[in-house]
Amino acid sequence: MIEPFMKPKDLAYPFSFEDRRLLVENGIFYLPNFLPSYRGFDPKLPLGHPCVFIEFCSGNGEWIIQKALENPDIQFIAVEKLFLRVQKIFSKRENLGIKNLFLVSGDINLLLEHFLPNASVDTLAINFPDPWPKERHSKNRLFHKNFVTHVHRILKRKGEVFLVTDDTDFSIWVSNSMEGQFALLKSDLNRPLENYGSSFFQRLWESKGKEIFYHHYAKRDLCWT
Ligand SMILES: C[S@@+](CC[C@H](N)C(=O)[O-])C[C@H]1O[C@@H](n2cnc3c(N)ncnc32)[C@H](O)[C@@H]1O
């Protein structure tokens, strides 16, 4: 018998804007913006697992789906704010029968601020985040001081961060922001990370001949944390 094949659109957004709330359903944590309060809700993030790998800005999920398939003993969490893209990750996960991937449909900053406890994550990966190249949009860039402090806080001891970008200025921005709280594990940013995998944007920028920067950091244990 042929199993029914799920399409991205088969996953409907579970509530209207007026009825928006925090919800966990089908292995997805729905985390809408603009709620009056985010307190007192348990999103049941699978953080009790011995090895937790989180990806921010997952896009259509190509990279994390492959990683989850290759590493069944690791618990993966994908975070993506655009629901159209969450639908794509979800349908891939269901059609491939992947059990070790939890999804967060919402904003990274809300997740960091309200739901990710201290020392709960082993590894964080961010592939091709929006670089917001114009100075007047720089407030939208990831890797502001508060973001880096949260990332340091949620990582376990010796936790690692991978950041891949095609944008020279953003790569410098990241290097400057990470200095102090993180140690750079490889100095040649142009050297690809071994067996790192690929994503939609990676293939896109490679096909256009763009230079790619691969950052790899370890959490520094700071005496004041
Ligand atoms: C350029 S795409 C890269 C997607 C994917 N990582 C790849 O390499 O193909 C950046 C993604 O980050 C998501 N994103 C940007 N800011 C975010 C935020 N604050 N919270 C969650 N997702 C975010 C966007 O919706 C978009 O899907």
Side-chain angles (χ1 to χ4, degrees):
M1 196 181 92
I2 300 170
E3 289 292 317
F5 189 77
M6 180 181 182
K7 296 192 219 57
K9 290 231 159 69
D10 294 339
L11 178 72
Y13 201 69
F15 34 73
S16 63
F17 183 77
E18 291 71 30
D19 293 333
R20 70 196 186 283
R21 60 189 181 279
L22 299 169
L23 174 73
V24 181
E25 198 171 72
N26 299 320
I28 306 174
F29 172 33
Y30 292 93
L31 173 54
N33 290 341
F34 311 120
L35 288 182
S37 168
Y38 290 90
R39 299 177 78 148
F41 183 85
D42 177 5
K44 302 187 173 55
L45 299 172
L47 301 172
H49 194 279
C51 190
V52 177
F53 197 127
I54 193 162
E55 185 193 23
F56 288 167
C57 300
S58 296
N60 69 15
E62 185 175 325
W63 185 87
I64 201 161
I65 287 282
Q66 194 54 39
K67 288 287 159 204
L69 280 170
E70 289 167 3
N71 302 281
D73 297 337
I74 297 178
Q75 175 63 55
F76 290 88
I77 302 175
V79 187
E80 172 54 52
K81 69 176 177 185
L82 285 186
F83 187 63
L84 271 173
R85 295 184 175 165
V86 173
Q87 289 175 307
K88 290 186 180 166
I89 310 174
F90 179 78
S91 61
K92 285 180 193 137
R93 183 187 78 178
E94 298 304 295
N95 290 331
L96 291 166
I98 295 173
K99 303 288 180 224
N100 57 330
L101 175 59
F102 185 89
L103 310 187
V104 178
S105 173
D107 194 289
I108 293 157
N109 295 305
L110 284 177
L111 186 72
L112 279 172
E113 197 165 323
H114 301 285
F115 298 106
L116 282 173
N118 293 354
S120 55
V121 170
D122 293 87
T123 311
L124 166 69
I126 315 179
N127 299 308
F128 302 91
D130 303 313
W132 295 101
K134 293 196 175 118
E135 196 45 49
R136 67 176 187 277
H137 295 145
S138 63
K139 66 175 185 317
N140 297 317
R141 283 180 208 151
L142 291 180
F143 293 88
H144 283 280
K145 190 170 187 311
N146 193 36
F147 175 82
V148 175
T149 301
H150 269 305
V151 170
H152 189 271
R153 177 185 69 71
I154 64 163
L155 284 173
K156 296 178 190 170
R157 200 158 171 264
K158 300 202 165 106
E160 295 182 29
V161 178
F162 295 95
L163 177 282
V164 186
T165 182
D166 59 292
D167 191 281
T168 312
D169 290 341
F170 186 72
S171 173
I172 296 167
W173 172 272
V174 171
S175 299
N176 291 339
S177 317
M178 295 294 271
E179 223 175 66
Q181 301 196 63
F182 289 86
L184 191 61
L185 294 181
K186 76 189 236 317
S187 50
D188 177 4
L189 298 182
N190 291 118
R191 183 165 51 83
L193 294 153
E194 234 170 277
N195 302 321
Y196 186 66
S198 191
S199 68
F200 177 84
F201 275 87
Q202 170 125 14
R203 285 187 291 105
L204 179 71
W205 297 136
E206 278 176 348
S207 73
K208 292 183 190 295
K210 286 193 88 172
E211 193 176 12
I212 310 283
F213 303 95
Y214 302 86
H215 298 235
H216 184 193
Y217 297 97
K219 171 176 171 161
R220 272 191 213 280
D221 285 317
L222 304 172
C223 55
W224 45 267
T225 54

